[in-house]
Amino acid sequence: MKSTIRKATPQVNQNEGLIFEKSSPGKAAWKLPPLDVPEVDAAKLLGEAERKDLGNMPEVSEIEIIRHFTRLSTWNYAIDLGMYPLGSCTMKYNPRVNEAVARVEGIANGHPYQPEKISQGALYIIKTLSEQLIEITGMDAITLQPAAGAHGEMTGLLMVRAYHQSKGNARKKILIPDSAHGTNPATAAMVNYAVENLKSDSRGMVDFAALAAQMNEDVAALMLTNPNTLGVFEQDIHKIADILHAKGGLLYMDGANMNALVGKVRPGDFGVDVMHLNLHKTFSTPHGGGGPGSGPVAIKKALEPFLPTPVVITKPDGTLAFNYDRPQSVGRVRAFYGNFGMFVRALAYIQANGPDGLRQTTEDAVLNANYIRKGLMGSYDLPYSTPTMHEVVFSDRLQMKKGVRTMDIAKRLIDYGFHPYTTAFPLIVPGALMIEPTESESKEEMDLFIDAMKSIAEEVEEDPQTVLNAPHSTRVSRLDETAAARKPVLRWKPAS
Amino acid sequence: MRYLPKSPADRKAMLEAIGVRSVDDLFAAIPAEYRLNRDLNIPRQMAESEIVDFFRQRSRENGEDYTSFLGAGVYFHYRPVIIDSLISRGEFLTAYTPYQAEISQGTLQSIFEFQTMICELTGMEVANASMYDGSTAAAEAVMMAVRLTGRRSVVVARSLHPEYREVLATYATHQGMPLAIADFANDGRLNLAELEKSITPETACLIIQSPNFFGTIEDVAAIAEIAHKHGAMLVVSIAEMVSLGIVEPPRQADIIAMEAQSFGVPMGFGGPYCGVIATREKYVRQMPGRLVGQTVDKQGRRGFVLTLATREQHIRRERATSNICTNQALIALMVNIFMTVYGKVGLKELAKQNLAKTAYAAAQFAKFGKVLFAAAPRFNEFVVQTSEDPSAINSRLLGHKMIGGLPLKKFYPELGHAALWCCTELTTRTAIDTAAGLVAESERSVRASRDEDVAEVAR
């Protein structure tokens, strides 16, 4: 084989069964202190409601638990190990001070219903982060309550609906470009709006003529990702906003790609009426294998009456409080106040950066994407030549001739020590390779990535089977997903 | 900036390689009139030590050394140290959703174990990988029942957490799902006669909580029978998972929507927490959220993948079961480790301690105040009615660095001067005695002033 894999070396790792397979009666990892109140008879107190048996819950010791999860952890790839260029996911470094401050006693152990008098610290964090996100987005008001991006989309569209309703007509549909994330149409459906597709033009941007033709007084809003999922900034964004506003519609911005904009341009300045942020993307809170996220929604003044309850206010005596008296509110979208622990982390991230750091971060993210674009041109097909912001989308058109698809290249990249890019998205690019390096990658790491991608492109020409059979270095080879879906095994059961 | 791994020379070399003169050339696509030509108006870069100081100060302003009797959907249980040791491993903390199964087996196997343990504890057949929290899980479970039955209206127990009810109302508003309320009886449990009357042929499901918002355990079997008799589904919300160590799970339910915060998740002023939905196998294709399934690789080795994705938004778009994408994976891992630490025996012992502390506390409070709903079984919460407004009593408790029970006036005005108190294994007898003593003092002084009034009138 011609390839030289420079970044990674296969290494022995430990086998590990399911925790249930290690369990045996009498082992324990817990110890309770002696009871300082009288023992009770559960049967007497609970009657028929008393539970007698906890089924197949495991019984294991502490060292086994440590080894179990440590071994499992070594089977994962992670940002801490290397570049994780998942397009649209913004896999950036997760600063450790964020984790430390989220665990300070009064922050980690605050109860959401403790009296406001002794919640001033938490309220101050909510207020400060809100103000800073408003400044960063150029919007007028914000709610931090939504638990993730898609939840933020729902909250945003609820406010859009309430806004139109207050004008006497909730309207019927939401326009969504064909390049959008799947959450956008799924959200519109949850808020009972019909989805109307909007096609992209040859530059990968909103087709202007199509928008003008489709826009009418039935349209509540356009949901637009900017930069869009091709990593392309919608240059005519102000004209798009004008078309919508002229017919009373609103411009919703999916802020998934805000990492391309922070400190350089503000959505509130280019006509956006409502947008969500992903604190777990742009603002460095860890993805944790799929969450928790946090999806604040920032809005223009006209939508403020509809914010979810409660909102934080400053009382005449200068103390902070929750205000529930919001008659036009869309209501609550989650119990309590949202994923507060993520607010703490995001605020710590903004503090560490300051205005110059945030701007430099954005510049580096865009610089990195363009460096990769330049480095891979020629080796991979670039379907849209429009300038790239924070991510670049190639296609597998050249490799397809040898029967190799984007997912195969992705799997081979694993052998080279990288996490794959996003495959097969956006849908407007058949066989897409969607690459977002973020600002967290050094020049050295990206040079290794570019070398790896080029080496794979050569392998495709000379030895496509190696790519088609990849990965070769992982604990398991490609898994049978069809079998998993056809006869789902969704839990362990004891051998009978 | 300390998080950015590039020297000025690196940046220069990269710009040269790209073929542009300055980084601003890369932002040329943004129309000039919208570019921000100033610094953002936020504070300057802070050193790590300054950031730590800032949050320590906020912590001091946030009641960090108070003893609390608050529950109401958020519970203060001991968190074994190894939870944070393990979830802090970068391979868990800084990984994305496990879409690339070959390099995500750690996350995938742990979710598979999580799903298994949730099934064992709830008596259900399948559980998902997590939802945002208990409130949104409850709303999504109701929407699932609506899809499964083809009916649209919903009966909601008034003893379901009031904020869960608010969230459900928000989700239901635009789905054309009318909500009816079923009230509780004098024992704090659902009024079964009234409940039956509120079910119509259009009722998709009934949603209750057990232990309910008052800590009272519902007669799930009887409620399920009523629901099923009318062709409706039963959705049970569980907000206090520790109860499952000693309280029979609602096996008769069709869908269980949980908040697993109790299992090793910091209270964190309201989140992040861990919702979960569990149900019967036959309903799995209408379940929202991610699912991990077992399969084999090309060599026949056991492995795990995300499965049944055709339910989800990235495949099905506007026809998905839900718009949920990011869930609460890392929090589910905390819950998973907690369940593993306590296991089959520890969970039961833990739950028994909660039961004992609460029984003791309720008895102490009953000596002076009135403990409501005493006839029905309860887990670790109880409602105390006092002569004085509980907010006033709580102000005095604060002086003793104690946070009293949650005043219920806002949610249940008809209960008068009532508050919801909670004890866990961490509540000490001394704290209980002090709090009960202060409530007793309040009762004595109210009674004494009443006696004076009576004496005054007599004179």
Side-chain angles (χ1 to χ4, degrees):
Chain A
M1 200 189 306
K2 185 175 173 297
S3 63
T4 45
I5 296 176
R6 288 199 285 149
K7 179 161 180 271
T9 308
Q11 160 192 11
V12 167
N13 62 39
Q14 308 283 318
N15 293 328
E16 178 71 5
L18 291 163
I19 196 74
F20 311 102
E21 295 160 352
K22 309 176 86 90
S23 170
S24 61
K27 290 200 283 189
W30 58 275
K31 170 81 187 156
L32 290 164
L35 256 186
D36 58 1
V37 297
E39 296 261 4
V40 288
D41 179 356
K44 214 174 117 199
L45 287 177
L46 299 174
E48 279 183 8
E50 187 203 4
R51 181 178 206 163
K52 305 254 167 31
D53 184 56
L54 270 73
N56 296 299
M57 292 297 283
E59 291 175 80
V60 286
S61 63
E62 185 169 315
I63 175 67
E64 289 170 291
I65 299 174
I66 289 284
R67 285 206 180 133
H68 179 70
F69 288 101
T70 304
R71 287 170 180 171
L72 294 191
S73 77
T74 63
W75 306 348
N76 276 358
Y77 191 85
I79 263 288
D80 283 5
L81 288 168
M83 183 168 165
Y84 213 124
L86 274 175
S88 212
C89 301
T90 314
M91 292 297 285
K92 61 168 67 185
Y93 170 57
N94 307 133
R96 289 314 195 270
V97 68
N98 300 0
E99 297 305 310
V101 295
R103 285 170 172 79
V104 177
E105 177 73 16
I107 287 169
N109 284 335
H111 191 289
Y113 288 149
Q114 68 190 28
E116 283 170 356
K117 193 174 151 189
I118 54 166
S119 301
Q120 292 297 305
L123 286 159
Y124 188 75
I125 289 166
I126 293 174
K127 179 168 177 279
T128 307
L129 179 64
S130 297
E131 288 168 354
Q132 295 187 0
L133 293 177
I134 286 169
E135 164 66 8
I136 287 166
T137 55
M139 305 296 279
D140 298 325
I142 197 166
T143 173
L144 306 185
Q145 200 177 93
H151 204 213
E153 290 174 29
M154 188 189 90
T155 309
L157 286 194
L158 284 169
M159 284 192 270
V160 165
R161 193 178 247 288
Y163 165 83
H164 286 302
Q165 192 69 60
S166 76
K167 301 211 171 300
N169 176 7
R171 304 194 170 200
K172 295 196 177 73
K173 57 193 178 190
I174 303 286
L175 296 180
I176 298 178
D178 47 13
S179 59
H181 299 110
T183 50
N184 293 176
T187 301
M190 281 180 89
V191 185
N192 200 19
Y193 274 126
V195 173
E196 193 166 297
N197 247 301
L198 191 62
K199 64 181 174 56
S200 304
D201 66 13
S202 58
R203 303 168 302 168
M205 295 192 222
V206 165
D207 187 322
F208 227 63
L211 174 65
Q214 283 173 255
M215 184 61 205
N216 58 41
E217 262 124 43
D218 279 343
V219 174
L222 164 68
M223 280 182 106
L224 190 67
T225 307
N226 193 24
N228 66 23
T229 54
L230 291 169
V232 171
F233 190 87
E234 297 278 356
Q235 278 175 302
D236 297 324
I237 186 73
H238 53 306
K239 290 190 210 149
I240 292 172
D242 288 347
I243 291 178
L244 287 158
H245 293 156
K247 296 258 166 77
L250 296 174
L251 178 56
Y252 183 105
M253 188 177 116
D254 180 327
N257 294 338
M258 192 65 195
N259 211 43
L261 307 182
V262 175
K264 300 293 283 186
V265 59
R266 308 191 309 164
D269 294 339
F270 58 64
V272 170
D273 301 297
V274 49
M275 67 176 293
H276 77 265
L277 295 162
N278 299 76
L279 298 187
H280 51 295
K281 294 181 179 176
T282 317
F283 297 94
S284 87
T285 76
H287 272 81
S294 178
V297 178
I299 50 166
K300 285 284 171 63
K301 195 86 195 156
L303 287 116
E304 202 189 352
F306 313 110
L307 283 170
T309 49
V311 299
V312 173
I313 53 163
T314 307
K315 292 203 288 194
D317 66 357
T319 60
L320 301 171
F322 287 114
N323 178 15
Y324 293 83
D325 185 18
R326 311 266 309 169
Q328 287 185 275
S329 167
V330 296
R332 260 182 189 289
V333 295
R334 187 195 180 284
F336 316 116
Y337 324 114
N339 282 346
F340 177 78
M342 301 298 113
F343 311 161
V344 172
R345 290 167 174 87
L347 181 56
Y349 171 80
I350 295 171
Q351 289 175 332
N353 275 287
D356 48 340
L358 288 180
R359 184 170 52 231
Q360 183 76 63
T361 294
T362 303
E363 290 176 353
D364 279 6
V366 173
L367 179 66
N368 280 1
N370 279 281
Y371 186 70
I372 285 172
R373 173 176 162 139
K374 184 77 177 184
L376 295 182
M377 275 220 279
S379 302
Y380 294 88
D381 172 57
L382 188 72
Y384 292 93
S385 59
T386 324
T388 292
M389 300 286 289
H390 69 301
E391 66 190 359
V392 56
V393 179
F394 290 95
S395 92
D396 61 9
R397 199 173 58 88
L398 303 175
Q399 288 70 32
M400 211 165 80
K401 291 172 192 151
K402 295 279 182 176
V404 173
R405 304 305 315 262
T406 176
M407 187 59 95
D408 304 313
I409 301 163
K411 297 296 185 195
R412 182 60 177 147
L413 201 46
I414 293 172
D415 289 330
Y416 281 81
F418 290 96
H419 193 282
Y421 45 78
T422 294
T423 56
F425 186 83
L427 305 177
I428 57 169
V429 176
L433 289 67
M434 187 195 208
I435 305 171
E436 180 184 5
T438 84
E439 71 282 3
S440 301
E441 301 312 328
S442 65
K443 183 171 176 297
E444 293 75 17
E445 184 85 359
M446 284 190 301
D447 285 338
L448 285 168
F449 177 78
I450 291 165
D451 280 358
M453 288 294 289
K454 283 181 161 174
S455 177
I456 295 169
E458 284 171 27
E459 284 177 348
V460 170
E461 296 304 318
E462 289 158 22
D463 178 19
Q465 208 54 44
T466 296
V467 180
L468 289 168
N469 289 342
H472 302 278
S473 56
T474 45
R475 293 188 53 76
V476 287
S477 57
R478 286 196 210 184
L479 290 149
D480 191 343
E481 297 191 9
T482 314
R486 205 170 41 224
K487 271 193 89 180
V489 178
L490 304 173
R491 54 156 300 177
W492 171 85
K493 278 181 188 153
S496 49
Chain B
M1 205 284 129
R2 61 187 180 277
Y3 302 151
L4 299 175
K6 268 190 276 293
S7 68
D10 289 338
R11 291 190 180 100
K12 192 161 166 279
M14 288 170 66
L15 287 170
E16 276 166 19
I18 295 166
V20 292
R21 251 176 305 169
S22 83
V23 75
D24 275 328
D25 293 351
L26 299 175
F27 289 84
I30 300 174
E33 67 264 42
Y34 299 120
R35 279 180 230 160
L36 190 67
N37 296 314
R38 60 166 175 88
D39 275 356
L40 285 168
N41 184 19
I42 58 172
R44 61 155 177 86
Q45 274 188 35
M46 285 165 70
E48 187 171 300
S49 56
E50 294 177 293
I51 295 171
V52 171
D53 281 348
F54 173 89
F55 286 100
R56 284 210 178 119
Q57 183 55 36
R58 302 289 82 76
S59 171
R60 282 191 288 273
E61 296 160 2
N62 219 53
E64 61 180 8
D65 48 358
Y66 284 68
T67 301
S68 168
F69 287 92
L70 289 171
V74 181
Y75 302 94
F76 186 48
H77 293 290
Y78 182 70
R79 301 182 63 236
V81 166
I82 67 167
I83 292 176
D84 274 356
S85 315
L86 289 169
I87 69 136
S88 297
R89 286 190 64 93
E91 299 93 328
F92 286 130
L93 184 75
T94 75
Y96 193 69
T97 305
Y99 288 127
Q100 296 289 341
E102 297 88 347
I103 44 170
S104 308
Q105 284 299 301
T107 295
L108 287 161
Q109 181 171 325
S110 82
I111 295 173
F112 185 78
E113 293 174 353
F114 171 87
Q115 291 174 184
T116 304
M117 283 191 252
I118 295 290
C119 288
E120 288 292 335
L121 284 178
T122 56
M124 291 287 115
E125 291 162 351
V126 289
N128 68 8
S130 72
M131 303 295 289
Y132 304 136
D133 78 325
S135 69
T136 55
E140 292 259 15
V142 165
M143 287 160 61
M144 181 180 158
V146 166
R147 287 193 297 273
L148 282 165
T149 56
R151 300 175 174 188
R152 298 216 73 87
S153 67
V154 179
V155 176
V156 185
R158 195 144 168 274
S159 49
L160 172 66
H161 194 299
E163 292 196 9
Y164 287 25
R165 282 188 275 130
E166 287 179 45
V167 172
L168 176 57
T170 306
Y171 273 69
T173 315
H174 306 297
Q175 303 277 328
M177 285 163 41
L179 305 179
I181 291 282
D183 216 340
F184 49 90
N186 288 337
D187 63 353
R189 294 169 129 190
L190 226 50
N191 184 330
L192 298 188
E194 198 193 301
L195 172 70
E196 182 144 22
K197 273 187 270 170
S198 62
I199 300 179
T200 74
E202 263 312 292
T203 303
C205 71
L206 167 63
I207 177 166
I208 67 163
Q209 180 182 331
S210 185
N212 68 22
F213 188 68
F214 308 123
T216 304
I217 299 159
E218 296 283 0
D219 186 350
V220 178
I223 296 167
E225 209 185 305
I226 293 173
H228 294 154
K229 194 166 81 185
H230 294 275
M233 291 187 136
L234 176 63
V235 178
V236 178
S237 164
I238 303 175
E240 171 48 300
M241 292 288 279
V242 171
S243 67
L244 292 176
I246 196 77
V247 176
E248 257 297 286
R251 296 178 203 275
Q252 304 84 350
D254 300 288
I255 308 170
I256 303 182
M258 289 151 271
E259 170 53 72
Q261 177 273 328
S262 269
F263 281 179
V265 183
M267 296 193 292
F269 206 65
Y273 293 163
C274 180
V276 196
I277 290 181
T279 187
R280 310 256 165 235
E281 216 163 320
K282 60 185 172 190
Y283 303 140
V284 70
R285 282 169 206 273
Q286 285 301 334
M287 180 152 78
R290 292 180 185 136
L291 280 167
V292 170
Q294 183 180 308
T295 186
V296 289
D297 74 354
K298 284 182 182 169
Q299 284 74 35
R301 291 173 292 207
R302 176 168 71 185
F304 302 91
V305 291
L306 288 173
T307 194
L308 299 179
T310 49
R311 300 164 298 117
E312 294 184 64
Q313 48 75 26
H314 61 283
I315 308 286
R316 187 63 53 95
R317 299 176 80 86
E318 64 267 31
R319 288 181 302 279
T321 53
S322 165
N323 71 340
I324 191 167
C325 179
T326 293
N327 57 15
Q328 303 287 119
L330 194 72
I331 314 297
L333 181 60
M334 291 185 188
V335 171
N336 188 5
I337 297 167
F338 183 97
M339 291 190 290
T340 310
V341 166
Y342 282 96
K344 188 177 169 79
V345 181
L347 272 179
K348 183 169 203 157
E349 293 303 316
L350 176 66
K352 268 168 93 174
Q353 284 213 351
N354 279 257
L355 202 60
K357 300 270 188 175
T358 306
Y360 173 79
Q364 299 312 302
F365 281 88
K367 287 179 185 166
F368 299 96
K370 187 177 172 197
V371 175
L372 297 184
F373 315 139
R378 67 167 80 90
F379 181 56
N380 66 359
E381 287 169 282
F382 54 97
V383 178
V384 180
Q385 215 172 38
T386 45
S387 305
E388 192 183 4
D389 184 337
S391 303
I393 302 175
N394 282 353
S395 306
R396 289 198 291 281
L397 276 165
L398 279 184
H400 294 258
K401 293 251 158 173
M402 279 191 177
I403 304 170
L406 177 74
L408 292 177
K409 191 157 65 187
K410 182 174 148 192
F411 300 129
Y412 303 94
E414 78 274 25
L415 296 180
H417 289 162
L420 179 65
W421 293 72
C422 173
C423 294
T424 72
E425 77 283 2
L426 292 175
T427 316
T428 63
R429 180 180 190 146
T430 319
I432 294 169
D433 291 343
T434 309
L438 283 163
V439 170
E441 232 170 70
S442 150
E443 286 301 311
R444 273 195 296 265
S445 70
V446 172
R447 275 175 213 167
S449 70
R450 259 191 222 143
D451 290 347
E452 271 173 32
D453 291 346
V454 171
E456 189 93 358
V457 171
R459 240 182 277 142

